[in-house]
Amino acid sequence: MKQPLFSCVMPVKGPRPYMDEALESLHAQGMGDDLEIIVQDADLEPDRGQSDAFNKGFAKAHGKWLFWLNADDVLLPNALRKVQRVIGESPSRTWIAGNQVFVDKDGRVTKCLWGNSWHDWLYRHALPHVNGPSSFFTRELFEKVGGFDVRMSVGMDFDLWIKFMKAGAHFERIQSYLWAWRNHDGSKTSSGVRSEFELRRQAEEIAEMLRRQSFTITGTGNLKLRLWRLLDGSYLRSVVDSVRWRGRDLSAFSKRMCGDV
């Protein structure tokens, strides 16, 4: 059997009203046997949380490159073709990142987030501007750093990025929108449903993770990251696209913004 180029893990638990749309967005990539989809269902195979579910799912994966997609999110059209192109152009690359768009429960755009390119100094003093399923990484890199920390219930992606950086990996940014994150009442990180206790717990967990990683976020680092985003145009692009597309349907956004490979 041919080894797939990509393996995607989709962790699910309980109600999953948007799962069909999420799966369709994967099948619509047109990758055929080059895409393996692993649905890690906590109702069938209990786990200790999302980080553990990711580890269980990726342990089953056969692909050369790994990524995940939440069951209420969408992989945007041509995303994997764009990643495949970068892999072909930069075969030594081990970590690739794209940009994301936020949508509401009805699939209307609420915000666009255009990321900056890599900067060596900045990412010793500030967290990388990379978001979950818009990140793709090699199996070797994931296994080298030991996967996800099962103690993490939030911010596990930032913990993974820090481990990648400590292993010497630098992401390459694809300047295109690859992923749509859906904000709805049932989503894990929806600001509309998190209590003050949950927000405090999240902050404490991330602070403890940074201490374990011996990673210090400095005020100067954060300020220079904002300046870098301003100078390289990523902040302006985020604002312009957000104003332009806010309230419009994701399908219209995808047709206009995601067509070119």
Side-chain angles (χ1 to χ4, degrees):
M1 179 180 177
K2 174 188 174 184
Q3 181 185 19
L5 180 59
F6 297 105
S7 288
C8 175
V9 169
M10 180 179 292
V12 295
K13 182 178 182 179
R16 51 203 77 176
Y18 302 102
M19 184 174 172
D20 286 348
E21 186 176 348
L23 288 170
E24 175 56 31
S25 76
L26 290 170
H27 293 303
Q29 298 294 314
M31 298 301 296
D33 292 339
D34 264 327
L35 173 60
E36 175 186 48
I37 302 170
I38 299 166
V39 176
Q40 187 63 32
D41 192 336
D43 296 330
L44 300 176
E45 183 180 354
D47 56 58
R48 292 180 286 167
Q50 192 174 21
S51 294
D52 188 36
F54 283 141
N55 286 340
K56 287 178 181 291
F58 285 127
K60 302 171 185 175
H62 299 92
K64 299 176 183 177
W65 282 78
L66 310 176
F67 70 102
W68 74 88
L69 185 71
N70 301 315
D72 43 10
D73 298 338
V74 174
L75 194 66
L76 294 176
N78 296 314
L80 295 186
R81 294 294 183 189
K82 294 171 184 177
V83 176
Q84 184 181 30
R85 182 193 63 200
V86 173
I87 293 170
E89 294 171 348
S90 305
S92 62
R93 185 64 64 191
T94 60
W95 182 16
I96 297 170
N99 302 321
Q100 71 176 106
V101 58
F102 297 78
V103 298
D104 64 16
K105 62 183 180 64
D106 298 315
R108 293 187 297 263
V109 174
T110 60
K111 180 181 177 181
C112 299
L113 189 58
W114 194 264
N116 56 275
S117 55
W118 177 269
H119 190 290
D120 283 330
W121 185 91
L122 285 176
Y123 291 130
R124 291 195 296 270
H125 304 275
L127 286 173
H129 207 260
V130 175
N131 295 283
S134 62
S135 192
F136 304 80
F137 41 89
T138 63
R139 167 193 299 280
E140 289 78 10
L141 178 60
F142 183 74
E143 293 177 348
K144 180 178 181 179
V145 303
F148 287 91
D149 187 336
V150 297
R151 293 171 291 186
M152 299 290 296
S153 61
V154 293
M156 66 283 292
D157 49 350
F158 287 118
D159 179 67
L160 189 65
W161 310 154
I162 293 173
K163 290 192 286 190
F164 283 176
M165 293 190 298
K166 285 187 171 182
H170 298 172
F171 67 78
E172 179 167 341
R173 174 78 61 180
I174 295 177
Q175 290 299 11
S176 181
Y177 293 105
L178 304 186
W179 166 51
W181 178 79
R182 191 188 308 271
N183 186 18
H184 61 96
D185 289 345
S187 61
K188 179 179 177 181
T189 53
S190 170
S191 59
V193 298
R194 288 183 294 172
S195 67
E196 182 178 344
F197 170 78
E198 289 171 323
L199 289 169
R200 185 169 62 251
R201 181 182 177 189
Q202 173 181 326
E204 291 171 351
E205 182 179 296
I206 292 177
E208 176 59 29
M209 177 271 290
L210 293 172
R211 284 193 290 271
R212 286 198 304 269
Q213 292 278 22
S214 299
F215 189 90
T216 301
I217 300 174
T218 67
T220 300
N222 278 332
L223 176 60
K224 289 189 175 182
L225 177 58
R226 293 188 182 99
L227 289 173
W228 175 244
R229 284 177 47 71
L230 184 63
L231 291 172
D232 79 350
S234 56
Y235 177 74
L236 179 61
R237 179 65 185 268
S238 297
V239 172
V240 170
D241 286 351
S242 294
V243 171
R244 179 185 180 189
W245 290 100
R246 186 175 293 120
R248 299 181 65 180
D249 190 80
L250 180 62
S251 60
F253 174 90
S254 298
K255 184 176 181 179
R256 183 65 181 270
M257 304 294 284
C258 305
D260 294 335
V261 177

